[in-house]
Amino acid sequence: MHSVELAEALATEGVDVALIALGDPAEGFFRPTSVPVHIVEAPPRAETLTERVFSHIDALTAGLADLRGRFDIVHTQDCISARAAARVRDGGGGFRLLRTVHHIDDFTTPALIECQDAAILEPDRVLVVSEPWRRRLLDEHGVEAAVVTNGVRVERFADAGPPGERDRLRARIGAADRHVFLTVGGIEPRKGSRYLVEALGLLKAMPGLPPMLAVVGGHSFQDYRAYRDEVLGSLGSHGLRLDDDVVLVGTVPDAELPGWFGAADSFVFPSVSEGWGLVVLEALAAGLPVVASDIEVFRSFLTHDVDAVLTETANPASLAAGMARLRDDPDLVRRLRAAGTATAGRYSWSSTARRPPAIYAEA
């Protein structure tokens, strides 16, 4: 989403920009865009993560080589595209290579660790989306990075969709009059999903409106099936039921996503690691009260009890207490909604897009 929104905002600023993505050329891109899109055919899904990473690097290398001479700058957004672009650049590609590091994965295999490190060191310039990650890249890799934050289209998420959309989506998950907590990103270790379901169980045992959790998303390049099975397998021990207290909505069409923010009562995002947490901005833009973990990245743009409730990271009891406040304190919710909308308004994609052209010119 960062890639798409930034590309379109750069085009509005007068930059000649195109998107390049791995996918199915016959299927096309996942939504209409205002910029040209080049889809490079993705390889068949390999068995292991290491095989998937390197097969994707090979495929994207070939695709970028076919586009050689078309671009002055190739701005990559992950380690796969950065490694592929570095190969083409070093083979006479004729462009400068930039990379935005959104976060660093906790790989355990030497090949993937080496690949990820190279994708940080090989680009001509490196960008990050938050100040904590600028410091981390400098401390751990000796790389000076520029900060270009994420953004949000407030008008898109402030519009909850056509009349009746909220009722339709709530009926789809059987929400009735329950307090619906929305989270976006699926079930994976980085999102703190284990702590979230435990917190929901604690909240369910407290007096008050029955809560439920709607989980949107879940499609991931990495394989989190074992973790997902573990988390879902623990629901019974927390007094929760799948498809009742916890509903897995899955991946939704892009046009439907704002409606899910409009259908929820609160947004919960207890990540233990994020580069930024783009969906938090989307929730704020939608007018949802937010409860999140107090990791440094969130503290860089959120203020506890002003525009969000921040709870102790990886602490289910703290998270449950924060969720209870959003469910039970309407005065707090009104304050958070007003301040949260103002916070989202400070991070438009148009303002984000004003920074990269100067970096491109320097490169």
Side-chain angles (χ1 to χ4, degrees), residues 2 6 75-77 98-102 120 123-138 142-150 275-276 352 354-363:
H2 176 102
L6 180 58
H75 185 171
T76 62
Q77 301 290 336
L98 277 71
R99 157 90 195 276
T100 292
V101 177
H102 292 269
I120 295 170
D124 299 302
R125 289 293 303 273
V126 173
L127 290 71
V128 290
V129 293
S130 60
E131 174 62 22
W133 279 88
R134 185 197 68 79
R135 295 196 301 271
R136 179 169 172 180
L137 257 62
L138 183 60
V143 170
E144 290 277 4
V147 178
V148 177
T149 66
N150 273 308
W276 176 276
T352 295
R354 295 189 188 109
R355 178 80 171 108
I359 299 172
Y360 297 160
E362 292 170 6

Side-chain angles (χ1 to χ4, degrees), residues 178-181 200 203-204 209-213 244-245 327:
R178 299 170 75 171
H179 187 106
V180 176
F181 288 91
L200 185 70
L203 180 62
K204 183 181 178 182
L209 198 64
M212 71 180 302
L213 174 68
D244 179 13
D245 303 297
R327 182 191 63 177

Side-chain angles (χ1 to χ4, degrees), residues 108-131:
T108 56
T109 60
L112 291 180
I113 294 171
E114 180 183 350
C115 181
Q116 181 166 247
D117 288 346
I120 295 170
L121 299 172
E122 289 176 337
D124 299 302
R125 289 293 303 273
V126 173
L127 290 71
V128 290
V129 293
S130 60
E131 174 62 22

Side-chain angles (χ1 to χ4, degrees), residues 141-163:
H141 297 274
V143 170
E144 290 277 4
V147 178
V148 177
T149 66
N150 273 308
V152 66
R153 277 190 288 147
V154 172
E155 68 282 0
R156 179 184 184 219
F157 291 93
D159 181 3

Side-chain angles (χ1 to χ4, degrees), residues 7-49:
E8 292 186 324
L10 285 170
T12 301
E13 294 292 315
V15 178
D16 181 12
V17 59
L19 279 165
I20 303 172
L22 281 169
D24 182 350
E27 184 177 330
F29 205 55
F30 73 96
R31 74 161 174 83
T33 65
S34 61
V35 299
V37 178
H38 301 280
I39 299 180
V40 177
E41 186 167 2
R45 184 177 177 85
E47 184 65 26
T48 70
L49 177 60

Side-chain angles (χ1 to χ4, degrees), residues 284-349:
L284 296 178
L288 278 180
V290 169
V291 55
S293 51
D294 63 353
I295 58 176
E296 185 181 12
V297 165
F298 291 162
R299 296 199 311 271
S300 71
F301 69 96
L302 299 173
T303 302
H304 176 57
D305 272 8
V306 174
D307 48 16
V309 171
L310 300 180
T311 63
E312 186 177 344
T313 304
N315 184 330
S318 177
L319 179 59
M323 294 168 71
R325 294 182 66 200
L326 297 192
R327 182 191 63 177
D328 302 334
D329 189 340
D331 290 335
L332 171 66
V333 168
R334 280 192 288 271
R335 295 198 309 272
L336 293 177
R337 287 182 186 273
T341 301
T343 295
R346 292 195 290 271
Y347 292 96
S348 68
W349 282 112

